[in-house]
Amino acid sequence: MTGPAPPMAAVTEVQFGPMRLHQDQLQVLLVFAKEDSQSNGFCCACEKAGFKSNIAKTPESALESFLDKRHEIVIIDHRQSRCFDAEALCRSIRATKPSENSVIIAVVRKQSDRDETSIMPLISAGFTRRYVENPNVMACYNELIQLEYGEVRAQFKLRACNSLFTTLEKSQEAIEITNEDHKIQYVNPAFESMMGYQKDELYGKELIEVPINEKKSDFLDSINSCIKTGKEWEGVYYAKNKNGDNIQQNVKIIPVFGHRGKIRHYVSISRPCNDNNKVEKQCERVQAESQTDIQSCRHKDRRKGSLDVRSTTSRGSDGSSQRRHSSMARIHSMTIEAPITKVINIINAAQENSPMPVAEALDRVLEILRTTELYSPQLGTKDEDPHTSDLVGGLMTDGLRRLSGNEYILSAKQVHPSSGHLISSLSLTDIPPRIAQAMENEEDWEFDIFELEAATHKRPLVYLGLKLFARFGVCSFLNCSEVTLRSWLHVIESNYHAGNAYHNSTHSADVLHATAYFLCKERVKQSLDQIDEVAALIAATVHDVDHPGRTNSFLCNAGSELAILYNDTAVLESHHAALAFQLTTRDDKCNIFKNMERNEYRTLRQAIIDMVLATEMTKHFEHVNKFVNSINKPLAALEENGGNISDDESVKNILTSPENRILIKRMLIKCADISNPCRALEQCIEWAGRISEEYFAQTDEEKRQGLPVVMPVFDRNTCSIPKSQISFVDYFITDMFDAWDAFADLPNLMQHMDNNFKYWKSLDERQLKTLRPPPE
């Protein structure tokens, strides 16, 4: 047993968001007619907790003591009814003003289950709660601590609120508090005086209902985008008071977080700008006081100035010159800018001397640029094809968030390279004849991965990997033996789920084959070095390792361990990349990187991770658009100007710049990953059936577990597979492969895509929902 804990500090701090208030030592009044073990227990507990206690034996002395000390906690003995009336004493205390913030406890006798009585008489008398007699000091101590951190602190916060609102009432700065929906809930007298409104005219109204300067709406979006992320906004703008006069104000808006970390209120503090140099003088004073705040002060001052000028635009004949001066000042004052900021500044500058229709068009451009999803097309809601919306929504979002006990636990089936089922004798020189025959045409696009799947009993990745890695000299580049490579391929393939209809090692082998095929195209070879080729082959091999056969949306909705680990962001892709390196580096027998020089390994590792993460569909349009704008368009412009420019230095610069090599590798693995619609028809049909079955299984499980159904159209009883394929090709495949074909020259793939699309169209026109038409 340990000794008694030391008394708590006489003064505690209670925190209100960013502010702390000090609370004096808690006072406890014990009202017991007779001293007994229960009263002694509470006395000792008060001492142990560091509380100050007083004992009263009669109702009169108890009331007198309470009015003198105003105790936070009052404990009244309710067991001795013949000594005094505990409920009458409680009502007497409650009749006094100080008792509003006090907690009153009734000590009652133990009751058997048969004799248990209602607590309503105690509640009616004014007691906060009851304490069933227990003289044990720790029991009494625990009760006091629960009271302190529960009711007592709650009451203290209520008392503190009165003092805080008194401060607001007396403040000379205008203060306005709105709720999360921007409806006004409080304004202080200074605000009423400055704006000319009475409180009753403002309460419950939205900010936009109050007459404001016409330009304020122009940057309300930028203010909201700042404060809704939990950041303070500070700037200058004009507002109209009740009389219609313009008042230039220095304004600071602070978000206030409440329950569950959600923003519940916004506090706006403002004062008139009587002196135009006031802000600059204040900024200079802060600079003199603290070197740490120099940068933030400079940014705030610049932001205020830009907003100030913008707010006066369109009022007066010199509005355009003011705007021109403001935009140029912003462009030259920026020291560290994001590219999007530079774009916006250039557009602002271009607006200055533009005709009105052009300026209005550029305003629309700026509105579009405010969104963060710059590369993701917006699906219309009117008459939208559900197959397209479901498919796109399922692949390009993390799904609905759901707080639920239903969890999908991902079982990471990590197989050690020394597992008994590994075939240690396999080598390129002793591949079985049937398997060797199945891989004879692996350099052609018409290569049939399903024939290899059958020949290898659903283990095609090891065999195809050995052959392709040998063709590209991977072992030589990595300085590893074929035995190590063979062990690594076994480990990776063993961690693909053979039970998945689609995301299994056959899919990985198919992506590996497409990657190798693309790497042999002349334009790609001109662009990439051997380290890029090796990174691409490895990334293709591992890009879906340990895939559970469920989408990211499903894992997020189910609250899976992986979704929690990766914060609902690129969950599977992050897992594939991380697990691949865990499996590779944990055992020298399969560590294909063990002999690499450190810097070269880091470069290779980064390239592999980047390519695996590029397979995430939420950034599909970003990758495709960047590829087109950075590579295809410049190449097309050069070809238009120079004719045959295969040896042109400008082309080489475009193809081999570090940034463009990254874009090419991302595009390469993306096209390899979803190249099924560009395969021969029979392969295309087989892959369509497999991915549909995996989506059907997910929908079945979502319904079984009560999870949100991510893609409702993939109900095995009602789904039209031709429609889903048409939507997938229309939305994701056509534009991407048009761009990739323009770069790498892939006429055979484009022909397959056209043939397959016509096939699905013909089934859909016959209103068939199956993979194949019925037999004649």
Side-chain angles (χ1 to χ4, degrees):
M1 296 287 290
T2 59
M8 297 175 66
V11 178
T12 60
E13 283 188 333
V14 180
Q15 187 166 352
F16 299 76
M19 180 179 60
R20 297 178 184 272
L21 288 182
H22 292 276
Q23 180 179 8
D24 293 331
Q25 184 181 27
L26 289 186
Q27 306 240 22
V28 181
L29 175 61
L30 304 174
V31 187
F32 287 81
K34 298 178 181 179
E35 182 177 333
D36 63 2
S37 59
Q38 184 65 71
S39 64
N40 291 335
F42 273 115
C43 284
C44 295
C46 287
E47 183 179 356
K48 179 181 178 65
F51 301 161
K52 187 175 182 179
S53 63
N54 300 102
I55 299 178
K57 295 187 177 182
T58 65
E60 294 78 12
S61 62
L63 189 58
E64 182 180 353
S65 179
F66 177 78
L67 291 173
D68 180 39
K69 303 291 186 181
R70 305 193 176 193
H71 306 81
E72 284 87 358
I73 300 174
V74 180
I75 299 176
I76 302 176
D77 188 1
H78 195 280
R79 301 169 301 166
Q80 310 292 340
S81 59
R82 63 179 179 275
C83 296
F84 60 82
D85 188 341
E87 294 179 16
L89 173 58
C90 182
R91 280 191 286 268
S92 298
I93 294 175
R94 285 297 185 201
T96 67
K97 184 71 174 175
S99 70
E100 291 179 356
N101 300 305
S102 295
V103 178
I104 306 180
I105 307 300
V107 179
V108 300
R109 291 188 180 278
K110 288 183 179 179
Q111 302 284 338
S112 65
D113 293 341
R114 183 180 303 172
D115 299 329
E116 181 68 37
T117 58
S118 171
I119 64 169
M120 280 309 300
L122 299 178
I123 300 296
S124 300
F127 285 101
T128 307
R129 57 194 284 182
R130 69 177 182 180
Y131 177 81
V132 179
E133 63 178 341
N134 183 348
N136 181 277
V137 174
M138 282 306 299
C140 297
Y141 172 81
N142 289 337
E143 179 71 5
L144 292 175
I145 295 303
Q146 288 185 70
L147 290 173
E148 180 197 7
Y149 283 89
E151 288 88 343
V152 172
R153 286 202 173 187
Q155 292 294 335
F156 176 64
K157 288 185 176 183
L158 290 175
R159 294 200 310 275
C161 284
N162 291 329
S163 63
L164 297 178
F165 273 100
T166 300
T167 304
L168 297 181
E169 290 286 303
K170 301 301 181 182
S171 172
Q172 294 182 358
E173 292 184 309
I175 297 172
E176 174 189 48
I177 300 177
T178 67
N179 65 8
E180 58 199 303
D181 297 321
H182 300 292
K183 291 186 177 180
I184 298 173
Q185 295 189 312
Y186 170 84
V187 294
N188 69 344
F191 186 96
E192 291 179 278
S193 175
M194 182 173 73
M195 301 303 295
Y197 289 93
Q198 297 297 314
K199 294 180 179 179
D200 293 339
E201 296 176 270
L202 299 174
Y203 288 167
K205 293 186 177 181
E206 293 187 12
L207 289 175
I208 58 173
E209 292 179 21
V210 181
I212 57 175
N213 161 271
E214 67 273 14
K215 289 298 289 183
K216 184 178 180 182
S217 59
D218 286 353
F219 59 92
L220 273 178
D221 286 344
S222 64
I223 295 175
N224 285 333
S225 66
C226 177
I227 61 178
K228 284 184 177 180
T229 59
K231 300 175 183 176
E232 294 183 8
W233 180 88
E234 186 171 356
V236 178
Y237 61 70
Y238 280 75
K240 286 184 179 179
N241 64 12
K242 189 174 182 179
N243 296 328
D245 299 325
N246 287 323
I247 301 176
Q248 189 183 21
Q249 301 173 345
N250 287 324
V251 181
K252 178 184 285 187
I253 304 175
I254 304 116
V256 180
F257 291 87
H259 183 53
R260 294 181 180 174
K262 182 179 179 183
I263 295 175
R264 297 294 181 180
H265 294 90
Y266 297 97
V267 176
S268 175
I269 304 171
S270 55
R271 66 177 181 272
C273 298
N274 296 324
D275 182 358
N276 291 334
N277 297 322
K278 192 172 184 179
V279 178
E280 294 177 6
K281 291 177 180 177
Q282 288 176 339
C283 192
E284 290 169 3
R285 186 176 71 249
V286 173
Q287 288 176 340
E289 291 173 354
S290 172
Q291 183 66 27
T292 306
D293 292 336
I294 287 177
Q295 194 66 29
S296 62
C297 187
R298 185 182 299 126
H299 289 322
K300 287 181 180 178
D301 187 38
R302 184 173 68 243
R303 184 164 61 249
K304 289 178 185 177
S306 64
L307 287 170
D308 182 11
V309 175
R310 284 190 63 187
S311 65
T312 60
T313 304
S314 301
R315 293 198 319 272
S317 60
D318 60 343
S320 61
S321 64
Q322 288 177 328
R323 186 179 66 201
R324 183 185 308 113
H325 174 77
S326 169
S327 64
M328 293 307 295
R330 285 200 301 274
I331 290 172
H332 291 296
S333 64
M334 291 288 185
T335 54
I336 301 176
E337 296 179 292
I340 193 66
T341 306
K342 295 179 181 178
V343 171
I344 290 173
N345 285 335
I346 292 170
I347 293 173
N348 281 329
Q351 280 184 301
E352 291 163 6
N353 296 314
S354 300
M356 185 55 67
V358 176
E360 290 176 352
L362 291 176
D363 277 335
R364 175 61 182 147
V365 171
L366 290 173
E367 286 181 22
I368 295 171
L369 291 177
R370 288 192 185 108
T371 178
T372 57
E373 299 298 333
L374 296 177
Y375 291 94
S376 297
Q378 295 178 337
L379 277 177
T381 57
K382 186 177 180 181
D383 300 326
E384 186 58 72
D385 176 12
H387 287 79
T388 301
S389 57
D390 278 8
L391 187 67
V392 173
L395 292 176
M396 295 194 63
T397 68
D398 289 326
L400 303 171
R401 296 294 177 264
R402 169 185 167 89
L403 297 175
S404 167
N406 296 326
E407 287 199 359
Y408 181 85
I409 306 299
L410 184 71
S411 57
K413 185 165 62 71
Q414 300 177 359
V415 180
H416 196 277
S418 60
S419 298
H421 66 270
L422 298 183
I423 308 171
S424 60
S425 61
L426 176 65
S427 170
L428 277 175
T429 59
D430 56 9
I431 290 178
R434 184 188 172 194
I435 296 175
Q437 183 178 0
M439 292 194 298
E440 275 184 353
N441 67 331
E442 49 83 17
E443 294 187 34
D444 299 334
W445 184 251
E446 311 305 320
F447 170 71
D448 189 348
I449 192 65
F450 299 115
E451 184 180 343
L452 181 62
E453 179 190 61
T456 60
H457 304 289
K458 297 187 177 181
R459 307 282 289 182
L461 188 56
V462 170
Y463 295 94
L464 186 62
L466 279 172
K467 187 167 186 182
L468 291 179
F469 279 45
R471 174 150 66 89
F472 282 86
V474 174
C475 285
S476 174
F477 178 83
L478 298 175
N479 192 24
C480 76
S481 66
E482 186 184 304
V483 174
T484 303
L485 174 64
R486 185 175 65 242
S487 297
W488 178 77
L489 287 168
H490 270 296
V491 170
I492 297 301
E493 183 157 40
S494 298
N495 280 274
Y496 276 91
H497 295 204
N500 289 347
Y502 183 90
H503 287 101
N504 49 41
S505 68
T506 303
H507 167 66
S508 173
D510 183 62
V511 176
L512 175 61
H513 170 263
T515 298
Y517 181 82
F518 294 151
L519 288 174
C520 293
K521 305 309 290 183
E522 192 59 37
R523 183 64 69 75
V524 177
K525 287 196 292 185
Q526 292 175 14
S527 308
L528 304 182
D529 297 333
Q530 189 177 14
I531 191 170
D532 299 311
E533 295 177 348
V534 172
L537 294 169
I538 294 174
T541 304
V542 306
H543 83 283
D544 272 335
V545 66
D546 197 40
H547 196 295
R550 301 292 181 265
T551 63
N552 279 332
S553 298
F554 179 96
L555 298 182
C556 294
N557 290 335
S560 74
E561 290 179 348
L562 282 182
I564 293 170
L565 176 64
Y566 293 110
N567 301 313
D568 291 353
T569 304
V571 175
L572 284 172
E573 293 74 21
S574 299
H575 176 59
H576 303 323
L579 180 61
F581 281 93
Q582 290 172 1
L583 295 172
T584 303
T585 60
R586 71 182 183 183
D587 192 324
D588 272 1
K589 292 179 181 176
C590 65
N591 187 355
I592 57 177
F593 306 128
K594 62 185 176 182
N595 296 323
M596 292 190 72
E597 188 270 328
R598 179 185 298 273
N599 289 334
E600 193 169 43
Y601 166 69
R602 289 183 62 83
T603 302
L604 179 66
R605 169 176 157 79
Q606 190 56 52
I608 294 169
I609 293 171
D610 184 81
M611 291 185 74
V612 174
L613 294 181
T615 62
E616 185 212 3
M617 293 301 289
T618 61
K619 293 187 176 181
H620 171 84
F621 294 99
E622 178 176 346
H623 295 319
V624 174
N625 276 279
K626 285 182 177 178
F627 179 84
V628 170
N629 289 321
S630 299
I631 298 171
N632 277 8
K633 287 184 178 179
L635 287 176
L638 286 175
E639 289 174 357
E640 287 176 6
N641 294 332
N644 184 8
I645 51 164
S646 57
D647 298 324
D648 196 304
E649 190 67 25
S650 300
V651 173
K652 184 177 180 181
N653 291 337
I654 294 172
L655 296 179
T656 60
S657 73
E659 298 83 3
N660 286 353
R661 281 167 54 202
I662 291 173
L663 297 181
I664 292 167
K665 285 183 289 185
R666 289 175 182 172
M667 191 72 164
L668 186 151
I669 197 168
K670 280 182 60 60
C671 289
D673 187 28
I674 53 176
S675 63
N676 306 154
C678 299
R679 292 287 188 181
L681 179 60
E682 282 305 312
Q683 294 184 51
C684 174
I685 294 172
E686 177 65 22
W687 284 124
R690 293 189 178 198
I691 192 62
S692 299
E693 176 55 38
E694 200 163 283
Y695 289 160
F696 293 158
Q698 174 171 309
T699 300
D700 292 342
E701 185 168 355
E702 286 166 337
K703 292 178 179 178
R704 191 165 55 249
Q705 291 193 20
L707 296 172
V709 178
V710 175
M711 295 181 283
V713 296
F714 281 97
D715 183 312
R716 65 174 69 250
N717 299 314
T718 59
C719 179
S720 167
I721 295 177
K723 281 186 182 298
S724 69
Q725 287 297 306
I726 290 168
S727 296
F728 183 63
V729 172
D730 271 341
Y731 204 79
F732 291 109
I733 298 299
T734 302
D735 289 343
M736 182 173 73
F737 271 92
D738 278 343
W740 189 233
D741 172 49
F743 177 79
D745 188 23
L746 303 161
N748 51 338
L749 276 72
M750 305 309 288
Q751 187 60 56
H752 282 311
M753 183 177 71
D754 289 341
N755 294 341
N756 296 336
F757 189 80
K758 290 175 183 176
Y759 172 80
W760 297 121
K761 271 288 190 184
S762 68
L763 292 183
D764 184 49
E765 287 167 358
R766 295 168 60 183
Q767 298 183 341
L768 298 174
K769 298 183 177 181
T770 53
L771 289 169
R772 292 178 172 84
E776 293 295 335

